[in-house]
Each structure stands twice: as structure tokens, then as C-alpha cells.
Amino acid sequence: MKVTLKELAAKCGCSITSVSRALKNDRSISKELREKVRKLADELGYVPNSIAESMRTGFTNTIAIILQDFRNPYFSIMAKYIEEYATSMGYSSIIMTTSEIPEKEINAVYTSISKNVDGVLLLPIQKDSESVKLLKKFRKPFILVGRYFEELETDYVIANDHKAAYLATRHLIEKGHKKILFISGHSYISSAVLRLKGFKKAMDEAGLHVDPEDVIEVSSAHGECRETLMQKLKEKHEYTAIFAFSDLLAHEALYTLRELGIQVPSEMAIVGIDDLQSHIIFPIKMTSVSSNVEKMAKESIKLLLKLIKSDNPEGTPVKPTKKVIDVKLSLGETT
Amino acid sequence: MKVTLKELAAKCGCSITSVSRALKNDRSISKELREKVRKLADELGYVPNSIAESMRTGFTNTIAIILQDFRNPYFSIMAKYIEEYATSMGYSSIIMTTSEIPEKEINAVYTSISKNVDGVLLLPIQKDSESVKLLKKFRKPFILVGRYFEELETDYVIANDHKAAYLATRHLIEKGHKKILFISGHSYISSAVLRLKGFKKAMDEAGLHVDPEDVIEVSSAHGECRETLMQKLKEKHEYTAIFAFSDLLAHEALYTLRELGIQVPSEMAIVGIDDLQSHIIFPIKMTSVSSNVEKMAKESIKLLLKLIKSDNPEGTPVKPTKKVIDVKLSLGETT
DNA sequence: CTGTTAGCGCCTTCAA
DNA sequence: TTGAAGGCGCTAACAG
């Protein structure tokens, strides 16, 4: 069924090489032959075999994208922009999800290596850094997206998480809130660390005290935030506002507050991060800080392609690029 | 950096063939050699080159997934389950998005053919059927997911859309609604046609009349539903309930109603389809009919793998499998 | 301008 | 139990 150069060559009465060259519009091939070959190729529906191309050239024109879970809209949106931009640059995307299971992340890296992808965009779980070490060991070009490892020198593209948290918190403070609950992610996540710092800085500046119990850590797994928050709010407390690590968690908080009959924003204000609303319409417009996913995606691909093209097999250590994308507050109806 | 069988063979002092066989635990290789090779391979970090394997075997252990847009949670969830199940079956997923642009769908198919994927899961746009014809022409195993073409014989896995719409509408009728607005998708989409039929059947059975203007067609593109609905509700009307083609549109409707100051469900009830809430937590629990995405994903992969494995190059026409997945009403706070 | 040769990494004969 | 040869489809280097 599939037509090969060989067949075209046979029907054309010329060599495989000539056909190959003709299809590439090589000017060293006579115009007549070029046209003849092209016409025949179109007629027979020739589609180049990328696998064979890769075998020769060493490049697959494919990148791997490793992320946690499409149920989290943040990752979906990220995947959207990455895939779209990669396609526009001539690259296909193998997408692999980890569900926050380190072993799956490792497997995804092995698959990337085995399938010979040209580069990897890794949105790491961060429970450990094995996968990053593996990528380094195999000298596979890769970029960390959204998170980075303090202790490892790698290229990365992240949002300005510190500023994002700072803006969110300051916004709440300006609205008069003094006791704010921060629903954070696990502390092994670099962005959670940075956002905590931003949160504290804003509180500090306003002369507000942060108790250890004002910060709770939850995973983004379905329902975990709801349970923890439910418990927290049933205790005696003075919170009038919630700052959530992400819009996903903010949505979950919102849902929980509705269950508890707490009015938003009059009784409790909520701010999230990611500004999902600018990409997906949700029933309620959340006040949120945009993490500029689109720009992060674009920069990540750009950087990765640069790495791929400058591929230095000798491994002369190049200073990694660290990119921090700016963020912006976006007002909604939850504050 | 990357270790090959050749290198292993050199270091082992045996032939490439023997190394290959040893790593496959071929019992015709002496136990000592097998162990020696395995040990060396582990030490040097040998990872088989899938590209070369594909070159020989003709299989890539990769499938292509072609869908519209990750911003639509329905597609994200679908992608999640497909990717997850495919991985568990030993297949990688090349995911390509079309943004409802037919040309991109065609390109995605060409890429699938060029990259030699073993099979394709196509969630078609349906503005035309060119991509399906292309897949047929190249005899590439493929399954349509979620939608099908009346006029083409293909394998497909869809939800019971007729029943879904029927259940949703009947639910509204049972709640006492008599004038219902159906926010549908474009009529070239097979599921929109089926849902319209289900809607009308339920209305008919209840002796309720459906005016042509009670059905509006919108795309899922960001904001289109909002504008159309806004206009519709500003006119004089008697609607007390909305049945939306999908939860995505239902969310958008909900958002629009909030803007208009219309209370849900007291002044206007809403039902959607997909039951996204069972996968993602949204601020509000929508009454919805589950389209059982998880099961659809699983069945699609199962069917596709069956097709791949029974690959009949001679193209002896096999009767296509048509699978319809059952649906279920799930109550929320919007009715 | 065109063709021949060689080989990417692997696996499947066939031969020893 | 092991190895040598050939070839998957393509391209790069070298000849003519």
C-alpha cells in the first residue's frame, strides 16, 4: 500500500537517489525529471517514511511532553499551546502523563530515549529528580517547564511565582483581609515554595502575622482539597479570605464553600493562580493571577529547539538558560 | 552517548546477533553469555532503539490521537484516559489537535502515515470526511471516537447520544419545565443530530411543542455560546430551562445567566452532557448526563489494537464494529 | 546532471 | 550454541 522511493524509481526508470533528490527539489536534477517524479509521487500518493528518515539523519522531528494529568486544566492548556506551537515549528508531540507517580515519569523518559525524540519538555512531579538525572545522563536535550530544581543546573522556563503570590495576597490585603488561609501545594514543588515566599512577603509588608497553621498543603488529586478545607473551616477560625495555589484548588475551595453555605466573596474571598478563565469558560469568574501559560509554552519550545539545533555531542557544558515569565492580576467576582 | 548492540557486542567479544538474542533471553544462548550481556547492558545503560526496531518490524508501538482542542475539558478527559490506557497496553501516543480546522485534520493524518503509527483514534471535526477517506486509502487502522459518519462504513465508538438527550430532557420535563431551549452544536456533528432527536422525542412524548427557534446551534469556541445566548435571552421569551449540548456550553450558559442576573435553578434550570464534574471539580455541580468517557476511551483502544493485530494487508473488507456506550443521568444543583 | 555505494540499528533467515 | 549476511527506506559521500 505504501509507496516507497524504490517503487517510484522503478516506474520512473531512474535511481532511488535521483527520486529522493527530485522530491527535495534539488537543483542539480533536471527540471524534467523533477517534474516527472513529483507528478508520479502525487499520483501514487507517496508519503515519505519518517522512520527511515530518522534512521539516517538521527532526528525524528518529534518532541516528548511529560506532564501529570489532563484533568488539571492547567496542564491541558499547557499541552494545547505546546502542541500547537510545536506543530507550527514542524515537530510532532508524544505526550505522556505521569499522574504524579515518579515511576511513570522515569518510564516516560525511557520511552523518550528509546523513541529517539529530539527533545523533552518535562513538567516534573518533583517528588524526586531521577528523571532529570536520566535525561542528563543520556544527554537528551530537555527543558523543565513550570518548576525547577534548586540543586540541579538545568534550563527551565517558569512563571514568576513569587510575584504571582505576592500580587494575589496584596490584592486580598488591599480588600481589607487580615487573616488569610493559603491552600498550597506540596513543599517539594518549587512553585509552591516560591508562592509561599511571595505570600509571606506581602503579609510581612502589611504587618500581618502568618501562623504555620495558616498554610495547608494539599495535592491536586480529585477531592483532597475539599476534605482538608472542610475540616479546617469547621474548626473555629477567623479567616475571611483564601489564597489558593492554583485555580483548580480555588475552584475546589469555591465548591466546598458552597457546600458549607459560606457566601463568596462577602463572607470569604478567594484568589487563585493561573487565570484559567482566560482560556476556558467556567461558571464563575475567579480572581486570579495569570501565569501566562501561552508564553511559557512558546518560550519552552523555542528554548528546546535551540538546544536541539545546537546539539553538542561532546557535551561541552553550556550555561543553562533560566527564563522567568511575568504574571498579572486579573479581577473576577470572588474578591 | 547512546549504546548500541554493536558496542555491547564489541565489549562482550561476541556477535551483534548474540547480544540481541541474549537480551531477549533467547534460550538458545548460553546462560553465561546471557548474564554477561545483561549485566553489561545495565552498566552501560543500553536502551533499545525503537526507530531501528520499527524499521525492521514495521510496527512503531505508537498510536495517533487526533482531537480538536484541549481547552475543551471533554477532549482533555478523553485524552487522559486514552493516553493512560494506551500506555498500559504498551503504546505511546502522538497527540495532534485540529482546532476544528479541516486542513489540520488532514495534516494530522498525513503525519500519522508518515510517522508510521500503528493506528489512529480520530475524534473528527466532521466539517468534511476527507481525513477518513485518507485513512481508508492508506489502509491505516483507525477508529472514530465520539462521532461517526452516516454515509461511511467505519469502526466507531460513540456514546448513546440519543438516550443522553432524552434523559436530560425528560428530567427537565419531570421538573415541570415546558419551554426548553436546546443549545446544540453544529448540525454536521453526528452527536448533535442524535441529541436533537433525543430532545424532540422526549418533548413529543410529553406532548410539548418544539419550535425551530427553540434550538440554537453554536460552536464550542470560546465565547460564542455566551453571545448567542445573551441575544436570545434579551428577546421576549418563555424559557424556564436550558438543555446544553455539552457541559462546556452549559458552563458558558451558567456564566451568561449570572451576568444577566438570572437565578439558577429557580428562574432557569440547566442540564448538560458529559458529567465533567465526575472528573474535574468545578465551582458548581451541574446536572448532566454522563457520556462515560472512560469507557469510550477504553473500548476505542481495545478495538483499535484488535484492528492493528488482525491487520489484513490484502484489505479483505471486514464488517466494521460499531459500539454504543451507555449513559446515565447525574443530578447536580442546576435543576 | 545522475548513479553507485554504504550504512543508520536492529532482527530474521540461513549456515556452521 | 553462535555467527554472517541481508535488508527495512532513506540519505550522504563519492564517482562518473
Side-chain angles (χ1 to χ4, degrees):
Chain A
M1 194 60 238
K2 255 188 98 172
V3 186
T4 63
L5 290 187
K6 199 174 174 181
E7 292 176 58
L8 290 183
K11 305 223 168 162
C12 258
C14 67
S15 75
I16 297 175
T17 315
S18 293
V19 175
S20 170
R21 289 204 266 245
L23 289 175
K24 294 209 153 38
N25 231 321
D26 189 324
R27 293 179 323 149
S28 77
I29 297 287
S30 73
K31 205 163 183 180
E32 300 86 59
L33 186 55
R34 267 187 282 165
E35 276 166 12
K36 186 175 167 196
V37 169
R38 166 114 317 277
K39 190 159 157 265
L40 197 69
D42 285 347
E43 272 174 31
L44 300 184
Y46 171 74
V47 179
N49 183 333
S50 304
I51 297 290
E53 262 169 37
S54 307
M55 189 91 239
R56 280 280 324 163
T57 64
F59 292 97
T60 50
N61 285 309
T62 302
I63 62 168
I65 302 161
I66 304 175
L67 47 79
Q68 343 242 306
D69 193 334
F70 283 119
R71 279 180 302 191
N72 186 333
Y74 169 76
F75 291 115
S76 306
I77 307 274
M78 190 63 98
K80 177 217 163 50
Y81 290 116
I82 290 176
E83 191 275 341
E84 213 164 77
Y85 196 54
T87 300
S88 79
M89 302 299 279
Y91 283 77
S92 299
S93 305
I94 292 187
I95 302 187
M96 290 172 279
T97 61
T98 61
S99 307
E100 302 194 47
I101 299 167
E103 196 192 340
K104 288 199 178 185
E105 196 172 88
I106 298 282
N107 286 338
V109 170
Y110 273 118
T111 301
S112 306
I113 290 163
S114 178
K115 301 253 178 191
N116 233 335
V117 301
D118 296 339
V120 176
L121 289 185
L122 174 60
L123 287 72
I125 302 174
Q126 294 209 299
K127 279 184 190 160
D128 61 41
S129 57
E130 291 310 306
S131 48
V132 172
K133 287 175 185 151
L134 214 50
L135 286 164
K136 285 192 164 212
K137 181 179 156 203
F138 282 97
R139 300 246 168 85
K140 180 66 67 186
F142 74 100
I143 308 281
L144 296 185
V145 184
R147 302 175 180 179
Y148 75 104
F149 290 89
E150 185 91 51
E151 73 279 15
L152 295 174
E153 278 290 299
T154 71
D155 300 78
Y156 61 75
V157 176
I158 60 173
N160 191 335
D161 289 300
H162 185 276
K163 182 175 172 188
Y166 178 80
L167 289 180
T169 311
R170 209 181 57 186
H171 171 68
L172 289 174
I173 293 170
E174 282 167 357
K175 287 270 181 178
H177 298 283
K178 295 191 174 354
K179 194 69 181 167
I180 301 170
L181 178 65
F182 177 27
I183 304 179
S184 181
H186 290 298
S187 56
Y188 53 73
I189 300 171
S190 64
S191 51
V193 173
L194 290 174
R195 290 176 195 179
L196 179 59
K197 281 187 187 156
F199 170 67
K200 283 188 171 160
K201 181 163 179 238
M203 294 293 275
D204 264 7
E205 279 184 13
L208 295 171
H209 183 66
V210 177
D211 276 324
E213 63 197 34
D214 295 344
V215 180
I216 57 180
E217 286 180 18
V218 305
S219 101
S220 295
H222 196 83
E224 189 176 320
C225 171
R226 180 177 160 277
E227 277 182 39
T228 314
L229 184 59
M230 196 71 106
Q231 208 160 5
K232 192 84 184 171
L233 293 183
K234 275 181 179 161
E235 297 167 10
K236 194 166 161 318
H237 69 83
E238 299 166 341
Y239 299 113
T240 60
I242 291 173
F243 164 42
F245 174 73
S246 65
D247 278 5
L248 182 73
L249 294 180
H251 282 142
E252 208 167 323
L254 209 45
Y255 182 73
T256 311
L257 293 176
R258 286 174 65 87
E259 285 185 295
L260 294 170
I262 299 171
Q263 295 294 319
V264 175
S266 57
E267 296 177 76
M268 186 78 73
I270 304 187
V271 185
I273 286 187
D274 288 339
D275 193 25
L276 296 178
Q277 189 84 18
S278 67
H279 304 102
I280 303 176
I281 294 193
F282 289 91
I284 295 172
K285 169 125 183 57
M286 181 76 62
T287 296
S288 185
V289 182
S290 158
S291 55
N292 213 334
V293 176
E294 187 167 357
K295 187 155 184 213
M296 280 178 67
K298 210 159 180 169
E299 290 294 335
S300 305
I301 294 277
K302 261 164 84 175
L303 242 181
L304 184 61
L305 296 194
K306 211 170 107 190
L307 264 193
I308 291 171
K309 270 147 191 172
S310 76
D311 202 17
N312 53 340
E314 293 317 310
T316 17
V318 180
K319 203 165 167 51
T321 308
K322 302 167 182 188
K323 204 133 200 152
V324 180
I325 308 294
D326 197 23
V327 297
K328 204 172 92 210
L329 183 68
S330 167
L331 297 180
E333 18 171 344
T334 57
T335 55
Chain B
M1 196 57 240
K2 252 189 101 174
V3 186
T4 63
L5 290 186
K6 199 176 175 181
E7 292 177 58
L8 290 183
K11 304 224 168 165
C12 259
C14 66
S15 74
I16 295 175
T17 317
S18 294
V19 175
S20 171
R21 290 204 264 243
L23 288 176
K24 294 211 152 38
N25 233 318
D26 189 324
R27 293 179 322 149
S28 77
I29 297 286
S30 72
K31 202 162 185 183
E32 300 87 60
L33 186 54
R34 267 187 280 164
E35 276 166 13
K36 188 176 168 193
V37 169
R38 167 113 320 276
K39 192 160 157 263
L40 198 68
D42 285 347
E43 271 174 31
L44 300 184
Y46 171 74
V47 179
N49 184 334
S50 305
I51 298 289
E53 264 170 32
S54 307
M55 188 91 238
R56 283 263 338 148
T57 63
F59 291 97
T60 51
N61 285 309
T62 302
I63 61 168
I65 302 162
I66 304 176
L67 47 79
Q68 344 241 302
D69 193 333
F70 283 119
R71 279 179 301 191
N72 187 332
Y74 169 76
F75 291 114
S76 306
I77 306 276
M78 191 62 99
K80 177 218 162 50
Y81 289 115
I82 290 176
E83 192 275 340
E84 214 165 75
Y85 195 55
T87 300
S88 79
M89 302 298 280
Y91 284 77
S92 299
S93 306
I94 293 188
I95 302 187
M96 290 173 279
T97 61
T98 61
S99 307
E100 304 194 46
I101 300 167
E103 197 193 337
K104 288 200 178 185
E105 196 172 87
I106 297 283
N107 286 338
V109 170
Y110 273 117
T111 301
S112 304
I113 290 162
S114 179
K115 301 254 178 192
N116 232 335
V117 301
D118 296 339
V120 176
L121 290 184
L122 174 59
L123 287 72
I125 302 173
Q126 295 206 299
K127 279 183 189 160
D128 61 40
S129 57
E130 291 310 306
S131 49
V132 171
K133 287 173 186 151
L134 214 51
L135 286 164
K136 284 191 165 216
K137 180 179 156 202
F138 283 98
R139 300 246 169 85
K140 181 63 69 185
F142 74 99
I143 307 282
L144 296 185
V145 185
R147 302 174 181 180
Y148 74 104
F149 290 89
E150 185 93 50
E151 73 279 15
L152 294 174
E153 277 291 298
T154 72
D155 301 80
Y156 61 73
V157 177
I158 61 173
N160 191 335
D161 289 301
H162 184 276
K163 182 174 172 188
Y166 178 80
L167 289 180
T169 311
R170 210 181 57 185
H171 171 68
L172 288 175
I173 294 170
E174 281 168 358
K175 286 271 181 178
H177 299 282
K178 294 187 172 1
K179 195 69 182 166
I180 301 171
L181 178 65
F182 178 25
I183 304 178
S184 181
H186 290 299
S187 56
Y188 53 73
I189 300 171
S190 64
S191 51
V193 174
L194 291 174
R195 289 176 196 180
L196 179 58
K197 281 187 187 156
F199 171 67
K200 283 187 171 160
K201 179 161 182 242
M203 294 294 275
D204 264 7
E205 279 184 13
L208 295 171
H209 183 66
V210 177
D211 277 324
E213 63 199 33
D214 295 345
V215 180
I216 56 179
E217 286 180 19
V218 304
S219 101
S220 295
H222 196 83
E224 190 176 319
C225 170
R226 180 177 161 277
E227 276 181 40
T228 313
L229 184 60
M230 195 72 105
Q231 209 160 4
K232 192 85 186 171
L233 294 183
K234 274 180 179 159
E235 298 167 8
K236 194 165 161 315
H237 70 82
E238 299 168 341
Y239 299 113
T240 60
I242 292 173
F243 164 42
F245 174 72
S246 65
D247 278 5
L248 182 73
L249 294 180
H251 282 143
E252 207 166 324
L254 208 46
Y255 182 73
T256 310
L257 293 177
R258 287 175 64 87
E259 285 185 295
L260 293 171
I262 298 171
Q263 293 295 319
V264 175
S266 56
E267 297 177 76
M268 186 77 74
I270 304 188
V271 185
I273 286 187
D274 289 340
D275 193 25
L276 296 178
Q277 189 83 18
S278 67
H279 303 102
I280 302 176
I281 294 193
F282 289 92
I284 294 171
K285 168 121 183 62
M286 182 75 63
T287 296
S288 185
V289 182
S290 159
S291 56
N292 212 335
V293 176
E294 187 168 357
K295 186 154 185 211
M296 281 178 68
K298 209 159 181 169
E299 290 294 334
S300 305
I301 294 278
K302 262 164 83 175
L303 242 180
L304 184 61
L305 296 195
K306 211 170 109 189
L307 265 193
I308 291 171
K309 270 148 191 172
S310 76
D311 202 17
N312 53 341
E314 291 319 308
T316 16
V318 180
K319 203 164 168 51
T321 308
K322 300 167 182 188
K323 202 132 200 149
V324 180
I325 307 295
D326 197 24
V327 297
K328 202 172 92 214
L329 183 68
S330 167
L331 298 181
E333 21 171 344
T334 58
T335 56

